[in-house]
Amino acid sequence: MTHDAAPTTSTLPPYFDPRVLANLHGLELRARMVVEGFYAGMHHSPHHGLSIEFADHRAYTQGDDLKHIDWKVFAKTDKYYIKEYEQETNMHVLFVVDCSASMNYRSSEAFLSKYEYATVATGAIAHLALRQRDYVGLALFDEHITEYIKPSVRHHHWHTLVRAMSNHERTGGTSLGATLAELGERLSQRTLVIVISDLFDDPERIVKGLTQLRYRRHEPVVWNLWDQAELTFPFDGTVLFEGLEQSGELVAEPDAIRRQYLEEVHRFQNDMRTMCGRQHISYSVFDTSQPLSVSLTSYLAARSNRLRQRSSRVLR
Amino acid sequence: MLNLAQFWPFVHPALAGAGLAAGAIPIIIHLINRRKYRRVPWAAMSFLIRAKRRAARTVWLEHWLLLLLRIALIILLGLAVARPFTNSSQLASLTGGRGHHIILLDNSLSMQAIDAKGVSRFDHAKAYVDQLLESYPENDAVSLITTGYPAKAVIGHPESDRRVIRERFNALQATQSHADFLGAVSSIENILDTVDLPRGSCSVHVVSDFPSSQILGAKREDHVKQSAPGTTTTLALQRLADKLAQSSHELTLLRIPTSDSENIAITELSLSSPMVAAGFPVQVSIIVNNFGSAGGRGLTLTLRRGQQIVRTEMLPTISPGQQSEVSMSLLFQQAGHYMLEASLNPTHRDALPIDDSRRLAVEVAARMPVLLVDGRRSSSWLSGQSGFIAASLAPELLYEQDTTQNRNTPIQHESLFAPNIVDPAELASEALDAYPVVYLCNVSRLPPEQWSRLTDYVSRGGGLGIFAGDLLQVENYNRYGFADGKGLLPGEMQTVESTSNRDEAWAIVQGVLPHPLVKELMSLSDSGLFLARISQYLPLKLRPHADVVLHMNNGQPLMIASKFGQGRVLYMASSGDMAWNNLPAKGDYVSLIVNSTAYLAKSQGTHRTVVVGDTIVEPLIAAETALPAHVVDTNGTNQEGQYVSHDEALAYSFGPVTNSGVMSMTIGTTSRAFAVNVDAQESDIQSVSSETLDQAMSGRVRIEDMQLGVHVRQSSLASAELAPYALLGVIALMLTEILLAAWFGARRQPAIVARAR
C-alpha cells in the first residue's frame, strides 16, 4: 500500500489532516483525535470483529461430532473433514519507531516532522488495538533500541506508550538492521511488528533483519516515511545541505542534481519493495503530507490480510 | 624603443586592457554566487551524496563550458570595442584576396628640412617607406603618389612587379613646391574608383611631416601671404578617410619625426607701389619670419639688384613665431627689367636654407601714359575736368602750358605720368592697350562699340576712371555701361542730386573701414578731403561687390571702386573740376588723383614673379608671335616652352617650374627675367602634434609617429580593422551560450515538475 491509493485530503474528515493535527499540542491529544475520527468513519465500515477464528481441517475420525463435518469440502473431495476452530487469541502488536535524528526532518511546507507523524500514527493505532484487547508494545530505536515497552493489554498501557514517545530524544543515527535482529531475540510471542522509519540505513541489512523476524514467525510490516521535500527535492539556487545525522555538509545546485537524486530515491524504494516482496513482507511508502487515515486503514488491512492468508492455506 | 602597438594592436589600447580585465567578471560572479547559498537541514544525505557524485562530471563540464563561454564573450566584446587591427595583407590572404597598398609620400619643400645630422625629412620618409615596401607580401599590389605640387601618381595603378616599384620609388626626390594634398587625394580616389578592390583589402599610408600651417590653417596668415588655406589639406584627408571608410579600407597617417625644426625665412619681398618708374623712388618691403623655436639673433639681410648689392642691414632679434618687416627705399635710374633678391646670412643652423632668399622681378617703366577723354575739352587747363586731372598727374604740364601756351608740344617731362587729353570722338582712334589707365571725364555718351572696347580693355587688366558731370546721359551709361549689372559700371546711375545752398553742401566723412586707396589720406585729421564740399553729384545704385571709397555725410557714396575681369573701375559721383565741388581747391586732391591712378594702373611685370609649381606665361605682342622663343631654367638649361592662348592673346609659357631661382625667357632677341620663389607656406615647418592631428581629423584615422631606427611595426603595415569580425564572434558566442544554457537547462529536471511527482 502506498500513499498513491490514499484518498485526497479534501474528502477526508479533518481529524486525519496533518494540517489540523499540527495545530494540536501533545501527542496524546493528536492520537485521540485521529482515533475518534477513525471510529466515526467505521460506522459505515463493512468490517465486523471476529471472535472465533477458523484454524484448520482434519480428517474425520470416529467419535467426532457430525455437526463439525465440513459438507462443502465433502462435496468437493468426497471425503469427510472436520472444521477446527480456535478461539481468536489477542494479537501481539509491536511498534518499532525510528527516533533517529533524521526523523526530525520537517520541510518548510510540511506540517509534521516524520517522527511526529510516526508517533501520531502509532498512538492512534495502539489505541485501536488496545480497544480490541490486543497486546501492544513499543520499541524506540536509533542506532540501537533505546526504549522497549513490552506488549501489554492493560488499561493504562496506552498512556505509557504515548509518554514514552513524547519524551524521547532524537539525536542518533539509524541502524535498523541491528535493531530488528535484537528484537527478534526479545520477542517470544508471535507478533505483528510494525516498523515505522525513514529507513536511512543499508537496505540489505534492513531486509536481513526483517527476514530474521519472519523466520521467527513474526509478521513484519514496514512503513517507510518520507517528507514531501525528500520525494520532490523542490530546491533551487545554491544550497548548503546540513546532514541531520552527523553526515556532514554538502553544497549543491539542486537543479543540476535533481534528476539523479530522485532516481536514487526511486531506486531505493524499488529495491526495498522488491526485497520485501520476496520475503512476503508488507512495505509501504508514506508521505507525511498525506492524511493519517492511510496508515490506520493500512494497519487494519494488514490484520485482515493475515487472516485471509491463513484461510486460503486451509482451502488449498 | 618599445612600441605598444606592435604587441598590442588596438586603436584604443586602454579599452582593450579594460576588456581583458572584464573577462574576470563572470569568474567573480561565479565566486560570489558560490558564497551566496541557503542553509537547509537535510535528512536524506546519503541519496544526495550519491546523486551529486553521479552528476558531478556533467555539472562540472556544463559549469566550466558556460563559464569559459561567458569569459570569452566579454573579453571579445571588450577587444572589439577597442578596435583591433591586423595586417590587411594577411587578412586578405586569409580571405583569398590580395592586399593593395597606396603610399602617399609627401615630397613638398618642407620635407627638405634637415636635422642636426644633415638628414632631410624626405630621406627619413623614404627609408621608412622602403621598409614598408619590404614588409608587404609578395603578391600585394602597390600604388605610389607624391604630393609635391602638382601631385603625381608615380604608380597610378595596382602594381605588383617589385622591380618596377623599386625603380620608381628609388627615383623619387623631394621637390621645392608646396604640398598638393588635394591633388594627391584625387589621384587616390581615382585609383579606388577604377580598381575593383574587395572590402577592407586596401590600406593607404600618408607619410608626411604634416606642417601645422597646412593642417590648422595659416595661423600666421598675416605674414604668409601666399599661403593657401591650410584646411584644404585637412578637408582632403577627411574626404579620403570617409571614402576609404565606406569600403572598410584604412587610412593611416605616419608622422615624420620633426624634433629639429629651426627655420628663418624671407616670406615676402614686395614693392609698396605697383607703379615703378625710372627716377622715382619706390619702397621695398621685406618680411622675415622666425618659424623655429629659438635663434633669430644676428641676422644680416642683403638686398641685391641683379648682382649688385644695394643694401645690407642687421636685423633685430626675431623671437620664435615672430616676424620682422624691413622697408627700404630703392631708386631705378633707368627703365627696364630688373631682378631684386633679398637674402639672409644666418649665423645659426637653418633646417631649410632654400627659403633664406627671395626674388622679385621688377619692370621699371619710363613713363605711364594716361588717357583722359574729356566731354567738354577746354582750352584752359583749369576749366575742364581733364585739365585738373592732368595737372594733378603731371604738374609740369601746367607750367609748360603757362609758358608756351601750347600744351601739345613735347617737352622733357619729369613726372611719372604722361596724360593725353582727347575728345570722345578721338577715343576710337586711340590704342587703349598703350594706356594703363583711361579716364572718362564728363563724357556725355559713347557709342556701343566704344563701350565694348572699354569693356574688353578693362577685363584684360586695364583701369577705367569715370568722373560725373552735367553732360552725362544717364540712359546711355546705364544701357551700355551698366548693362543690367553685367557692364563696367559699379552701379546703375540715378538722377543728379544738387543743392544751391552752400551751407547745405555735403562733406566727405570718414568711413568705418577706410578703403586702401584713401587709407593714408583718411588717417590725417586735417586732410583737405574733409574740408571739401559737394554741391552736386550723380549717385549710383550700387551692385554687389562694389566698394565705397569715399562717403558723404548724407550717407551716399561719392567714390566707388569695383573689379571687372582683371581690371578695375573707379566711379567719381561728382565732377573732377570745380563745377560740382571744390575738391580740386583742396591740397589732397592731387594725392587723391595720383592714388586713384595708381590704383587703376595695370600692374607691369608682376606676372614674372611666380612660386615653384606655377607656370610662367609671357603675353606676346603681335610682332613677337613669329619670333623663336625658349626658356633658360634655374639650372641654366635651355628648355622649350609652348605657345598658349592667354587672355584672348597669344602667349609663351613654360611650366610648371620645379626649382626656385631666376629663369629667363628669350623671345627673339629680347629676354625677360622671371623670379621663382618657394611657397612661403612651406617655410613653416613646425609639425602638428599627433594629438592635434587626431583632433583635426576628428579621430577618423589612425595616426602614428614614425620612430627612426626601428623596423616597420606590424601595426604600421597596411592594416585592417578586425572589429567587425570580433563582433561577429561575439554574436556567435552569445548564441552558443544561449543555446547551450537552454540545452543544459532542458536536461535538468525543473523543480515544479518534481513537485508534481
Side-chain angles (χ1 to χ4, degrees):
Chain A
M1 180 183 297
T2 68
H3 59 281
D4 293 338
T8 58
T9 309
S10 59
T11 61
L12 286 167
Y15 320 108
F16 305 114
D17 193 340
R19 274 180 291 186
V20 177
L21 293 175
N23 292 325
L24 301 178
H25 295 285
L27 172 59
E28 190 173 332
L29 186 58
R30 287 174 178 171
R32 279 185 179 280
M33 186 80 170
V34 172
V35 172
E36 293 302 325
F38 189 73
Y39 278 131
M42 279 184 65
H43 288 296
H44 306 286
S45 173
H47 294 287
H48 297 280
L50 296 174
S51 58
I52 300 297
E53 193 173 1
F54 171 79
D56 212 346
H57 285 93
R58 67 172 173 79
Y60 172 79
T61 57
Q62 199 169 4
D64 285 339
D65 192 346
L66 289 176
K67 70 177 181 183
H68 294 303
I69 292 173
D70 191 335
W71 297 109
K72 287 182 181 173
V73 174
F74 172 77
K76 289 178 184 173
T77 62
D78 215 14
K79 291 178 180 174
Y80 296 106
Y81 280 94
I82 295 296
K83 285 170 72 176
E84 284 190 340
Y85 294 89
E86 64 180 6
Q87 179 70 36
E88 187 190 49
T89 57
N90 290 338
M91 194 168 69
H92 285 236
V93 180
L94 179 67
F95 290 94
V96 182
V97 178
D98 187 351
C99 59
S100 65
S102 63
M103 290 292 283
N104 284 332
Y105 180 71
R106 179 173 71 84
S107 62
S108 58
E109 295 179 356
F111 298 97
L112 296 174
S113 69
K114 289 188 282 187
Y115 183 75
E116 288 169 334
Y117 191 92
T119 53
V120 171
T122 301
I125 297 168
H127 199 279
L128 276 176
L130 287 171
R131 279 198 177 195
Q132 292 181 346
R133 307 300 297 166
D134 286 337
Y135 286 77
V136 178
L138 175 67
L140 298 175
F141 74 96
D142 43 30
E143 291 170 4
H144 52 271
I145 296 172
T146 55
E147 178 118 20
Y148 181 74
I149 300 172
K150 287 180 66 177
S152 171
V153 74
R154 283 180 297 171
H155 181 65
H156 294 291
H157 189 59
W158 186 76
H159 295 284
T160 307
L161 298 177
V162 168
R163 200 175 304 117
M165 288 189 291
S166 299
N167 298 333
H168 202 277
E169 290 186 353
R170 301 169 294 277
T171 54
T174 307
S175 185
L176 180 57
T179 301
L180 293 176
E182 188 182 342
L183 279 176
E185 299 291 333
R186 291 193 184 190
L187 294 174
S188 53
Q189 292 286 332
R190 190 175 175 223
T191 306
L192 176 66
V193 180
I194 300 175
V195 179
I196 306 175
S197 168
D198 53 15
L199 303 182
F200 288 168
D201 194 5
D202 181 20
E204 291 185 355
R205 278 193 297 176
I206 295 170
V207 174
K208 187 178 176 183
L210 293 170
T211 307
Q212 286 176 358
L213 284 177
R214 192 80 177 126
Y215 286 159
R216 292 176 183 274
R217 296 179 58 80
H218 300 302
E219 193 167 352
V221 171
V222 181
W223 293 355
N224 188 4
L225 299 190
W226 295 85
D227 189 283
Q228 192 184 35
E230 292 173 334
L231 293 171
T232 58
F233 206 53
F235 307 104
D236 53 13
T238 304
V239 179
L240 185 141
F241 293 98
E242 297 173 316
L244 295 180
E245 294 183 0
Q246 283 81 43
S247 48
E249 296 179 338
L250 185 73
V251 177
E253 291 181 32
D255 284 341
I257 62 171
R258 179 175 294 108
R259 185 171 56 82
Q260 288 81 0
Y261 170 83
L262 295 178
E263 284 174 0
E264 289 293 329
V265 169
H266 294 150
R267 181 188 301 165
F268 172 83
Q269 291 176 349
N270 289 336
D271 288 350
M272 284 300 299
R273 189 172 289 113
T274 304
M275 288 189 287
C276 289
R278 284 188 196 132
Q279 301 299 327
H280 304 288
I281 298 168
S282 169
Y283 169 80
S284 303
V285 172
F286 287 89
D287 181 345
T288 58
S289 65
Q290 299 299 316
L292 279 161
S293 60
V294 177
S295 56
L296 298 182
T297 50
S298 171
Y299 162 74
L300 291 178
R303 199 168 186 278
S304 61
N305 185 42
R306 193 176 66 163
L307 298 178
R308 277 200 301 276
Q309 283 177 350
R310 280 187 186 176
S311 162
S312 63
R313 275 204 303 274
V314 171
L315 288 173
R316 248 185 275 130
Chain B
M1 183 181 292
L2 184 66
N3 193 311
L4 181 64
Q6 186 173 2
F7 305 101
W8 198 238
F10 292 94
V11 176
H12 307 296
L15 272 182
L20 271 189
I25 290 175
I27 299 174
I28 293 169
I29 292 174
H30 175 73
L31 292 176
I32 290 173
N33 283 342
R34 275 183 68 90
R35 292 177 63 87
K36 284 173 59 180
Y37 49 72
R38 287 183 295 130
R39 284 182 170 270
V40 172
W42 189 247
M45 283 297 280
S46 58
F47 301 100
L48 199 57
I49 290 168
R50 284 199 296 274
K52 187 171 182 183
R53 197 175 296 144
R54 278 179 54 200
R57 186 182 173 85
T58 311
V59 170
W60 182 88
L61 197 66
E62 289 177 0
H63 270 194
W64 278 102
L65 198 56
L66 288 178
L67 186 64
L68 288 176
L69 269 176
R70 286 162 187 166
I71 291 171
L73 177 72
I74 290 182
I75 288 179
L76 198 57
L77 184 63
L79 298 184
V81 172
R83 295 174 60 193
F85 54 83
T86 187
N87 187 333
S88 68
S89 303
Q90 292 175 352
L91 193 65
S93 61
L94 285 174
T95 55
R98 67 170 189 169
H100 182 205
H101 314 283
I102 301 175
I103 297 173
L104 195 157
L105 180 58
D106 186 358
N107 63 343
S108 63
L109 176 64
S110 65
M111 293 291 282
Q112 288 199 28
I114 55 175
D115 60 16
K117 296 176 183 174
V119 182
S120 71
R121 295 177 180 180
F122 185 71
D123 290 337
H124 285 310
K126 274 193 82 173
Y128 199 81
V129 173
D130 187 57
Q131 292 183 45
L132 268 181
L133 291 173
E134 281 295 324
S135 66
Y136 293 150
E138 199 63 31
N139 291 332
D140 282 9
V142 174
S143 295
L144 196 56
I145 314 289
T146 55
T147 62
Y149 183 85
K152 186 178 176 185
V154 179
I155 302 175
H157 58 280
E159 178 60 63
S160 300
D161 190 335
R162 287 292 181 270
R163 188 180 56 80
V164 174
I165 296 169
R166 279 283 163 203
E167 274 180 9
R168 305 240 179 122
F169 171 70
N170 292 336
L172 287 180
Q173 289 186 335
T175 66
Q176 294 181 6
S177 56
H178 61 273
D180 179 20
F181 276 96
L182 195 60
V185 166
S186 297
S187 296
I188 294 175
E189 288 174 334
N190 188 39
I191 293 173
L192 295 173
D193 291 339
T194 52
V195 180
D196 185 21
L197 293 168
R199 288 180 69 83
S201 65
C202 179
S203 68
V204 177
H205 282 76
V206 179
V207 186
S208 172
D209 51 355
F210 298 108
S212 58
S213 57
Q214 294 180 28
I215 300 301
L216 303 176
K219 59 182 178 183
R220 300 183 182 93
E221 60 186 22
D222 289 339
H223 321 152
V224 189
K225 297 281 171 43
Q226 297 180 35
S227 296
T231 50
T232 305
T233 300
T234 312
L235 291 173
L237 291 175
Q238 286 176 349
R239 195 178 77 190
L240 178 62
D242 290 342
K243 186 171 181 67
L244 290 170
Q246 288 173 5
S247 303
S248 301
H249 301 317
E250 190 177 271
L251 174 61
T252 304
L253 305 185
L254 285 172
R255 187 171 161 273
I256 301 288
T258 55
S259 56
D260 197 351
S261 53
E262 296 301 325
N263 187 35
I264 291 181
I266 298 176
T267 54
E268 186 172 318
L269 170 60
S270 60
L271 299 178
S272 58
S273 168
M275 297 182 300
V276 186
F280 286 87
V282 64
Q283 291 294 314
V284 180
S285 176
I286 302 166
I287 295 178
V288 180
N289 271 281
N290 184 356
F291 291 111
S293 55
R297 290 173 182 275
L299 294 168
T300 305
L301 178 68
T302 304
L303 180 66
R304 288 184 175 83
R305 182 172 54 202
Q307 299 298 320
Q308 178 193 3
I309 295 177
V310 179
R311 290 278 291 275
T312 300
E313 256 190 49
M314 288 288 291
L315 295 179
T317 300
I318 307 172
S319 302
Q322 300 299 313
Q323 66 170 357
S324 176
E325 183 168 0
V326 179
S327 188
M328 300 177 179
S329 182
L330 194 61
L331 182 68
F332 296 93
Q333 295 291 352
Q334 293 181 336
H337 298 275
Y338 293 88
M339 182 61 66
L340 293 181
E341 180 178 7
S343 59
L344 290 170
N345 302 86
T347 56
H348 63 285
R349 200 189 63 74
D350 194 286
L352 199 61
I354 198 167
D355 59 8
D356 290 352
S357 64
R358 204 161 188 86
R359 285 154 291 274
L360 179 69
V362 180
E363 183 176 340
V364 179
R367 299 294 303 265
M368 180 185 287
V370 177
L371 183 62
L372 299 168
V373 184
D374 197 339
R376 187 183 284 133
R377 190 175 169 187
S378 171
S379 57
S380 171
W381 272 96
L382 290 175
S383 61
Q385 290 199 19
S386 59
F388 277 93
I389 295 170
S392 300
L393 295 173
E396 72 278 5
L397 279 179
L398 185 60
Y399 174 75
E400 189 72 17
Q401 179 70 18
D402 289 344
T403 54
T404 63
Q405 293 296 314
N406 184 0
R407 66 177 184 276
N408 291 326
T409 303
I411 58 170
Q412 190 66 38
H413 297 290
E414 292 186 356
S415 295
L416 167 62
F417 302 104
N420 181 24
I421 303 171
V422 297
D423 290 327
E426 295 172 319
L427 177 62
S429 59
E430 291 290 338
L432 295 181
D433 284 339
Y435 299 95
V437 179
V438 174
Y439 281 107
L440 299 180
C441 309
N442 199 16
V443 174
S444 62
R445 62 188 304 278
L446 287 174
E449 59 272 18
Q450 292 308 315
W451 277 115
S452 177
R453 278 187 72 207
L454 284 173
T455 303
D456 180 55
Y457 161 75
V458 175
S459 65
R460 287 188 286 110
L464 176 65
I466 301 171
F467 281 81
D470 58 333
L471 296 179
L472 256 67
Q473 293 183 14
V474 172
E475 190 275 335
N476 177 264
Y477 275 75
N478 280 341
R479 183 171 182 184
Y480 301 108
F482 181 64
D484 294 329
K486 298 173 185 172
L488 289 168
L489 285 180
E492 185 177 12
M493 277 187 182
Q494 307 297 304
T495 55
V496 174
E497 300 282 341
S498 63
T499 177
S500 56
N501 189 340
R502 178 182 172 82
D503 296 334
E504 293 177 355
W506 298 285
I508 295 171
V509 293
Q510 191 157 15
V512 179
L513 287 172
H515 192 276
L517 194 155
V518 293
K519 188 175 182 180
E520 191 179 349
L521 296 175
M522 285 296 183
S523 65
L524 306 171
S525 60
D526 57 348
S527 170
L529 294 181
F530 299 123
L531 302 174
R533 291 293 179 268
I534 316 299
S535 58
Q536 271 186 290
Y537 68 96
L538 180 54
L540 290 185
K541 184 180 179 184
L542 298 185
R543 70 181 183 190
H545 309 301
D547 298 323
V548 177
V549 179
L550 290 176
H551 285 276
M552 291 187 292
N553 57 358
N554 65 350
Q556 289 292 322
L558 181 65
M559 182 177 273
I560 301 129
S562 68
K563 292 181 179 178
F564 186 85
Q566 295 181 3
R568 290 169 173 171
V569 176
L570 197 64
Y571 174 74
M572 180 65 177
S574 194
S575 64
D577 57 8
M578 300 284 282
W580 284 8
N581 59 68
N582 61 356
L583 195 57
K586 307 302 175 188
D588 286 330
Y589 175 78
V590 172
S591 298
L592 181 65
I593 296 300
V594 169
N595 284 359
S596 299
T597 308
Y599 173 76
L600 290 171
K602 185 178 180 180
S603 55
Q604 299 292 315
T606 54
H607 64 286
R608 298 196 188 100
T609 300
V610 297
V611 295
V612 174
D614 286 352
T615 298
I616 59 172
V617 178
E618 182 65 27
L620 302 177
I621 59 174
E624 293 174 326
T625 54
L627 298 176
H630 70 274
V631 171
V632 179
D633 66 14
T634 52
N635 299 323
T637 310
N638 282 345
Q639 302 281 358
E640 285 295 324
Q642 55 186 343
Y643 292 93
V644 295
S645 174
H646 181 73
D647 290 340
E648 299 181 1
L650 193 63
Y652 191 68
S653 75
F654 175 80
V657 183
T658 55
N659 291 315
S660 63
V662 178
M663 297 180 69
S664 69
M665 181 182 286
T666 304
I667 300 165
T669 56
T670 309
S671 290
R672 282 101 167 182
F674 285 80
V676 184
N677 295 310
V678 294
D679 190 329
Q681 188 182 14
E682 291 289 318
S683 296
D684 188 357
I685 59 174
Q686 293 288 346
S687 298
V688 290
S689 65
S690 295
E691 293 74 21
T692 310
L693 188 58
D694 190 39
Q695 288 173 2
M697 294 300 295
S698 308
R700 281 183 288 185
V701 299
R702 195 144 55 84
I703 294 164
E704 293 183 2
D705 274 327
M706 190 178 292
Q707 301 297 328
L708 295 180
V710 177
H711 286 294
V712 172
R713 289 166 291 163
Q714 193 67 21
S715 61
S716 296
L717 301 178
S719 55
E721 287 260 11
L722 293 176
Y725 302 100
L727 285 175
L728 281 178
V730 167
I731 293 170
L733 282 177
M734 200 180 292
L735 288 175
T736 308
E737 198 273 345
I738 291 170
L739 290 174
L740 271 182
W743 184 47
F744 293 156
R747 279 157 50 95
R748 296 176 179 183
Q749 193 164 353
I752 187 70
V753 175
R755 284 193 187 99
R757 287 171 68 96

